């Protein structure tokens, strides 16, 4: 059972928001809209039961989690490979794999039941560009090198850098979705970022829906 809220009924329904079919979501997701809506439907059906999302997250699943995952898409490379470290239920990795089918996407997650869920998602959505890795990111050091790494709600930036930068190919990018304390995290991680080969660090403020709810994307580029 899931809830679909057509744009015309927004604001006049008490039903929880699961998929919002409005021009903004269509524009952000483009051709991936249908697949992403299907993914949101799966998460709404089973996410709470399987411990993937908290019950309080259901009413804001679409905007706060699914659509929010698209905030990093504009910083991804044109081609190459992507690893979403600590992808959990598939955020942002599944959304990005749907939006950018030309990228080779690696979803990295150590928790077995989350991996089982991701396997079902990959099969259901026919995601041919996705590979699953049932391990911690550190276990892939020296075995996997990608053009970009994404991470959302995984660890503070200094720890995240240690976990993820060894996976980033020279000239590649780490894209970390962060909250309001992004600038503090960047200053605290300064030394470790330099030591691990970061050449440029920027904080992008993305107001995806134009409603003032800003997502901060820390972009760390590594030397070529
Ligand atoms: C708070 S959840 C966030 C999940 C998802 N990225 C999201 O935004 O909803 C953090 C996830 O990171 C995973 N994780 C923690 N440490 C990790 C590591 N060293 N390597 C890979 N994944 C890790 C956890 O198992 C968990 O699924």
């Amino acid at each position: 059972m899931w809830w679909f809220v057509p744009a015309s009924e927004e604001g006049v329904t008490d039903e929880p928001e699961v998929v919002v079919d409005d021009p903004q979501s269509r524009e952000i997701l483009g051709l991936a809209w249908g697949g992403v809506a299907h993914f949101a439907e799966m998460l709404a059906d089973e996410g709470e039961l399987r411990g993937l999302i908290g019950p309080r997250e259901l009413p804001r699943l679409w905007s706060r989690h699914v659509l929010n995952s698209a905030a990093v898409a504009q910083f991804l490379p044109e081609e190459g490979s992507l690893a979403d470290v600590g992808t959990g239920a598939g955020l942002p990795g599944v959304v990005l794999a749907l939006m950018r089918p030309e990228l080779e996407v690696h979803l990295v997650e150590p928790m077995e039941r989350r991996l089982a869920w991701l396997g079902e998602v990959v099969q259901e959505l026919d995601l041919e560009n996705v590979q699953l890795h049932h391990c911690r990111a550190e276990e892939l050091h020296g075995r996997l090198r990608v053009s970009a790494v994404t991470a959302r709600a995984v660890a503070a930036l200094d720890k995240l850098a240690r976990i993820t930068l060894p996976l980033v190919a020279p000239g590649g990018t780490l894209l970390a979705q962060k909250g309001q304390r992004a600038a503090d995290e960047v200053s605290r991680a300064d030394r470790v970022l330099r030591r691990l080969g970061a050449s440029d660090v920027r904080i992008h403020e993305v107001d995806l829906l134009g409603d003032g709810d800003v997502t901060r994307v820390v972009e760390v580029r590594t030397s070529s």
Side-chain angles (χ1 to χ4, degrees):
M1 164 79 176
W2 61 289
W3 304 269
F4 175 85
V5 185
S8 57
E9 287 177 23
E10 267 184 278
V12 295
T13 175
D14 291 332
E15 290 291 309
E17 157 212 318
V18 170
V19 175
V20 179
D21 186 2
D22 63 354
Q24 272 177 309
S25 303
R26 291 263 178 189
E27 193 183 334
I28 291 163
L29 297 170
L31 293 174
W33 191 90
V36 174
H38 192 163
F39 175 53
E41 171 191 348
M42 291 177 76
L43 264 179
D45 277 348
E46 297 194 46
E48 186 188 345
L49 196 71
R50 297 174 68 159
L52 298 160
I53 47 166
R56 287 194 314 172
E57 300 309 312
L58 261 180
R60 52 189 186 181
L61 181 67
W62 183 252
S63 57
R64 185 64 69 89
H65 297 282
V66 176
L67 209 53
N68 175 267
S69 292
V72 288
Q74 61 190 291
F75 308 109
L76 290 173
E78 294 284 309
E79 56 187 20
S81 50
L82 163 70
D84 185 35
V85 165
T87 192
L91 302 168
V94 168
V95 175
L96 297 175
L98 286 160
M99 291 178 78
R100 299 291 303 276
E102 72 283 8
L103 291 180
E104 174 191 303
V105 177
H106 300 263
L107 302 181
V108 184
E109 174 53 51
M111 281 188 66
E112 192 161 354
R113 64 189 163 83
R114 292 184 176 166
L115 233 281
W117 157 261
L118 291 166
E120 290 169 37
V121 168
V122 165
Q123 205 170 7
E124 176 70 20
L125 299 178
D126 205 13
L127 286 170
E128 290 179 0
N129 59 330
V130 170
Q131 287 180 48
L132 303 181
H133 299 267
H134 181 204
C135 60
R136 300 179 74 78
E138 299 90 311
E139 294 170 60
L140 295 172
H141 293 182
R143 291 170 46 209
L144 179 70
R145 278 280 171 131
V146 289
S147 324
V149 168
T150 50
R152 179 180 183 266
V154 176
L157 191 62
D158 51 354
K159 182 176 174 197
L160 191 66
R162 284 189 214 101
I163 294 171
T164 59
L165 283 179
L167 302 177
V168 178
T173 319
L174 162 64
L175 297 163
Q177 275 175 267
K178 289 287 168 192
Q180 289 181 344
R181 298 175 60 81
D184 283 352
E185 287 197 38
V186 167
S187 353
R188 248 181 282 127
D190 185 59
R191 197 180 299 176
V192 66
L193 288 171
R194 284 168 200 266
R195 183 164 55 76
L196 290 169
S199 58
D200 187 34
V201 182
R202 291 167 198 216
I203 302 174
H204 302 280
E205 296 199 337
V206 184
D207 184 356
L208 209 55
L209 295 170
D211 59 0
D213 192 2
V214 167
T215 295
R216 288 165 185 82
V217 178
V218 177
E219 179 183 24
V220 178
R221 292 204 185 162
T222 61
S223 317
S224 311

